[in-house]
Amino acid sequence: MTDYRSGFIAVIGKPNVGKSTLINAILGQKIAAVSPRPQTTRRRQLGILTRDEAQLIFVDTPGIHQPRHKLGEYLNQEAGQALNAVDIILFLVDASAEPNEDDIRIASLLKNVSPRIPIVLTLNKMDLVDAGDLKLHLEAYQALVRKETKSVSISALHFGYVNELVAILIALLPHRPPEYDEEQITDLYEREIASDLIREAALLKLRDEVPHGIAVRVDEFKERGNGMTYMAATLFVERESQKGIVIGEGGKMLKQIGTAARKQIEEMGGHKVFLELRVKVEKDWRNNESVLKRLGYKIKKP
Ligand code: GDP
Ligand code: MG
């Protein structure tokens, strides 16, 4: 039997609790999109930490919330499936507040998870709370999960106790050879990550003018000579009026979005990127299954 440990870790928690920030802190580079608004992360994403003794494969599940439209249903399916197919569940909660109804709903989903899958209750944002309240909040969260659940307090944003959390996770992983080569990791996910980074840049630049009705599809992703990558992507909006806003006067807004996204993608990949963006109206794309499919969202019929 191998000494090596490896496995899948589902990171679950309500929107804005710091899932992407935590994964970025653990991996030490920008992989998941981080945003001050909830729901930037829409797809399942893997972030993979490969060490000499272990490989930790993180599944950054979208926030679990009430389905309001087809996209919401998809998000819930993804989150639900992620839970029973992993080796560890990292339940991320907000240390600075008491549990709210989102936490309670997620905790109730955890009741259906096999007792063989360990849960690590992780209180994030401990920098925002004093010791007394931290203790009270910890007790309130512990009351929502199984008795034997391990807990740890961290500050993902400030790298506080992140190494300690990683050590706890490694100790809980099964003995198993690594799932992925180190090389494979970037190739597989760069394209997907790039589309999240473009969407994030658009949301940040547009503020509240085009709320979540925006999606991104990467159409081309080609490595050219001299270390340059050529990328073309389409931004989908729901209405003609939104198209105008995204493009802006004389194309100014789209240019700003492109510049911001390109910088992030270059930072992630460590090479120069030429990024071309287009905008397309796709009416009501969030409720349109064929559009969701084309954008890479897998819809599974119950
Ligand atoms: P997600 O929706 O769960 O992926 O949350 P994000 O990672 O996008 O984080 C949401 C917000 O919380 C961002 O503004 C982060 O900077 C912030 N945040 C994340 N972790 C911490 C933390 O440890 N302390 C503080 N003060 N803020 C945090
Ligand atoms: Mg996120």
Side-chain angles (χ1 to χ4, degrees), residues 20 33 41 60:
S20 302
T41 308
D60 183 12

Side-chain angles (χ1 to χ4, degrees), residues 144-178:
L144 298 177
V145 291
R146 303 172 193 145
K147 260 211 182 74
E148 65 277 16
T149 302
K150 274 192 200 309
S151 65
V152 56
S153 301
I154 63 163
S155 173
L157 189 63
H158 305 289
F159 301 95
Y161 297 98
V162 170
N163 289 334
E164 285 77 0
L165 170 62
V166 169
I168 291 172
L169 296 172
I170 290 176
L172 290 170
L173 282 175
H175 288 285
R176 200 188 280 158

Side-chain angles (χ1 to χ4, degrees), residues 6-10 83 85-89 116-118 172-174 176:
S6 100
F8 291 83
I9 300 157
L83 295 187
V86 298
D87 299 292
I88 302 174
I89 292 169
R116 278 175 296 124
I117 302 175
L172 290 170
L173 282 175
R176 200 188 280 158

Side-chain angles (χ1 to χ4, degrees), residues 19-21 32-35 39-41 60:
K19 297 178 294 298
S20 302
T21 306
V34 184
S35 146
Q39 263 183 272
T40 302
T41 308
D60 183 12

